[in-house]
Amino acid sequence: MTKLKTALLTTTLVASSVMASNAVLAHKTDRDVTKLAPTSKAWSYVKATTIYLYPQTTIRFNDKRANELNENPHAKEARVKAIYNGRSIAFLLEWPDGTKSIQKGCKSDVYGDGFAVQLPVNYKDASKLPYIGMGSDGRPVVIHLQKAAQPIYEPNGNGDVGMQQGTLNKNKFDKEVEKFDKEVSILAVTDYQRSFISEGFRSMTEIKDGSEKFSADMAYGNNGWKGKVARPLKDDYLKLNGAFPVAFATWDGERLQRDGLKYLSNWIPVKLIGQNGGGKLVEDLTKPVKGDVENGKNLVQQNGCTGCHYIPGLSQPSAMAPGLANIGGYSTAAYLKESIVEPNAVVVPGYNRNAHPNTPWYNVVDGKRVSTMPPYPLDDKSLNDMVAYLKTLKAEVK
Ligand code: HEC
């Protein structure tokens, strides 16, 4: 009996310590988590998990200045907390950013800081997760996005810019102006805060019917942002239980980041404390990759991968294929393996095909995207070695 008890105790200890170091543990509470602000004191009782955000270097932009500002960027260390009740879950992401950049409605060349929380619709099989960027064909994700933007002042509070009114086009003076400003500020809408369902670049569909109830907020202080997103555990799009993956993205407005120019985490497992299941998913997403890195590097060169792909030290940046400088930071081992053996499983959307007609990343055949990368049906050992090498491709953390 005692033996059994000790054995059980040891297993739970081992299991929990493994989980604690690898998964985001969502604490359970009775309170309404949708009401939490990024700066709420309640967060101080929730354990943080350290994650890393890697510069997404898939494509180079058609913007010289943005490219210069994002030359060889470091990765960022960030912290995630999660808390849930019977109905909803809230995430807090804390990430460093030396400058507070706010998007202004009237300027198209000023970009705001921002963040996004991404959740796969189907997540039971960790080896078939969607493309980390923004979902892929047949593998949709829900994205909650919040950008730091100047509130839009308008009398109806709907966020429709067409109805926007400022004091300048009102014939008002002094006290009247003050009164007007005060009234409309109560109705101010903080753009930009939206939810999307996405199966890849250019397929982002905004969920506008109100069925995706979420709240988001961000607060700046101490050289960094705190961003909060709260959403239902279950709705028309997602059923979150046991354990599930989440990914985070942040944009640095100062560096002219927008769209695919951002910082991106890998898929990170979240475990709902007090709920069963999902252990396999957590294990699959966190188990270390074993393989001969040196041999993997040789194989990557021998197989001509660098003829198309940019790998720092091995090849030059090009438009031929996605840059792999940070692929090890934001991709799972399973995704890398799948990319090599079966390029058509997930086709990275990449450039506008019309802009780069000589080097398309895919062709459309019978309405389906077909990758221009040839499949490499290698043996398991070679694949593991190659994946182990690709996992080392990532920027240093600063
Ligand atoms: C003929 C050019 C070409 C060669 C050679 C090539 N690739 Fe690719 N690769 C591409 C293109 C184009 C894409 C984007 C379309 C897609 O997803 O298949 C891609 C996608 C990828 C991705 C996914 C990138 C991402 O951002 O998600 C990985 C990983 C990858 N390739 C690894 C390799 C490895 C490893 C080799 C060598 C064994 C290789 N590639 C050889 C053209 C190539």
Side-chain angles (χ1 to χ4, degrees):
M1 180 65 201
T2 352
K3 247 189 196 160
L4 182 64
K5 250 191 187 163
T6 329
L8 279 175
L9 198 64
T10 331
T11 358
T12 25
L13 276 179
V14 170
S16 63
S17 68
V18 165
M19 289 228 160
S21 59
N22 294 318
V24 172
L25 299 176
H27 292 230
K28 191 157 191 211
T29 177
D30 292 331
R31 58 188 288 175
D32 183 357
V33 298
T34 61
K35 297 261 156 52
L36 288 174
T39 49
S40 292
K41 190 152 186 284
W43 289 114
S44 61
Y45 303 107
V46 182
K47 193 178 169 298
T49 301
T50 299
I51 64 158
Y52 300 98
L53 300 163
Y54 291 92
Q56 192 179 8
T57 39
T58 313
I59 60 172
R60 276 170 75 79
F61 261 47
N62 254 336
D63 178 335
K64 193 162 166 265
R65 180 129 171 80
N67 286 338
E68 278 167 12
L69 285 168
N70 291 281
E71 209 70 64
N72 304 318
H74 288 280
K76 290 185 177 193
E77 184 176 304
R79 293 176 353 129
V80 180
K81 293 179 178 183
I83 184 166
Y84 80 104
N85 61 22
R87 257 178 312 197
S88 306
I89 181 158
F91 297 98
L92 182 76
L93 179 70
E94 299 176 62
W95 75 98
D97 187 330
T99 46
K100 179 181 181 182
S101 313
I102 310 276
Q103 199 168 324
K104 307 246 161 55
C106 51
K107 292 199 170 155
S108 59
D109 58 341
V110 177
Y111 298 95
D113 297 331
F115 78 109
V117 173
Q118 194 181 174
L119 296 148
V121 172
N122 303 309
Y123 56 82
K124 296 291 181 224
D125 183 354
S127 67
K128 296 270 179 270
L129 290 177
Y131 173 56
I132 192 77
M134 44 184 77
S136 35
D137 271 357
R139 299 186 194 179
V141 290
V142 168
I143 299 172
H144 300 298
L145 177 61
Q146 157 97 63
K147 286 273 173 106
Q150 201 181 39
I152 297 174
Y153 293 102
E154 53 183 15
N156 68 4
N158 285 340
D160 40 0
V161 183
M163 290 293 291
Q164 206 167 334
Q165 290 190 29
T167 39
L168 286 180
N169 49 23
K170 295 264 139 194
N171 219 351
K172 291 182 189 296
F173 304 97
D174 303 329
K175 283 267 183 287
E176 280 177 346
V177 174
E178 265 174 46
K179 185 164 170 279
F180 178 86
D181 278 348
K182 203 169 160 197
E183 276 168 14
V184 292
S185 74
I186 296 165
L187 295 167
V189 180
T190 309
D191 220 24
Y192 177 110
Q193 199 174 85
R194 296 182 191 170
S195 284
F196 298 91
I197 180 99
S198 170
E199 290 188 35
F201 206 50
R202 292 191 291 276
S203 81
M204 299 247 295
T205 309
E206 189 178 350
I207 302 169
K208 282 184 171 168
D209 59 3
S211 60
E212 189 61 12
K213 298 231 179 322
F214 88 111
S215 60
D217 204 358
M218 54 199 280
Y220 190 80
N222 293 327
N223 290 317
W225 284 98
K226 287 183 178 184
K228 181 220 90 172
V229 160
R231 55 150 295 119
L233 285 168
K234 293 188 174 61
D235 63 14
D236 291 353
Y237 302 92
L238 284 173
K239 310 243 168 318
L240 302 175
N241 51 49
F244 54 86
V246 65
F248 298 91
T250 66
W251 286 265
D252 185 347
E254 181 81 2
R255 290 197 161 163
L256 306 185
Q257 294 189 340
R258 70 272 195 188
D259 305 328
L261 189 59
K262 60 181 183 254
Y263 290 89
L264 192 58
S265 78
N266 204 335
W267 287 115
I268 294 156
V270 178
K271 172 85 188 129
L272 299 174
I273 296 180
Q275 285 198 8
N276 293 328
K280 170 99 171 59
L281 182 90
V282 176
E283 197 195 319
D284 285 350
L285 283 178
T286 53
K287 67 172 172 241
V289 185
K290 291 204 185 95
D292 181 340
V293 173
E294 262 318 298
N295 189 42
K297 185 176 178 181
N298 290 337
L299 286 168
V300 160
Q301 288 173 287
Q302 285 159 18
N303 282 284
C305 316
T306 44
C308 295
H309 289 282
Y310 167 54
I311 295 180
L314 298 187
S315 58
Q316 292 301 313
S318 85
M320 292 282 291
L324 300 182
N326 283 285
I327 197 78
Y330 48 71
S331 295
T332 64
Y335 171 79
L336 292 171
K337 203 169 192 172
E338 188 184 53
S339 297
I340 301 168
V341 189
E342 208 189 333
N344 284 330
V346 169
V347 178
V348 181
Y351 288 103
N352 178 347
R353 296 185 67 244
N354 299 325
H356 292 265
N358 298 328
T359 55
W361 291 5
Y362 62 87
N363 291 302
V364 180
V365 182
D366 295 335
K368 281 209 79 175
R369 290 174 179 165
V370 178
S371 174
T372 52
M373 170 170 160
Y376 290 82
L378 303 169
D379 59 276
D380 270 352
K381 157 103 174 72
S382 305
L383 277 174
N384 282 341
D385 291 355
M386 227 186 237
V387 169
Y389 168 66
L390 292 173
K391 281 297 285 179
T392 66
L393 299 178
K394 53 189 181 187
E396 269 176 48
V397 180
K398 195 178 174 183

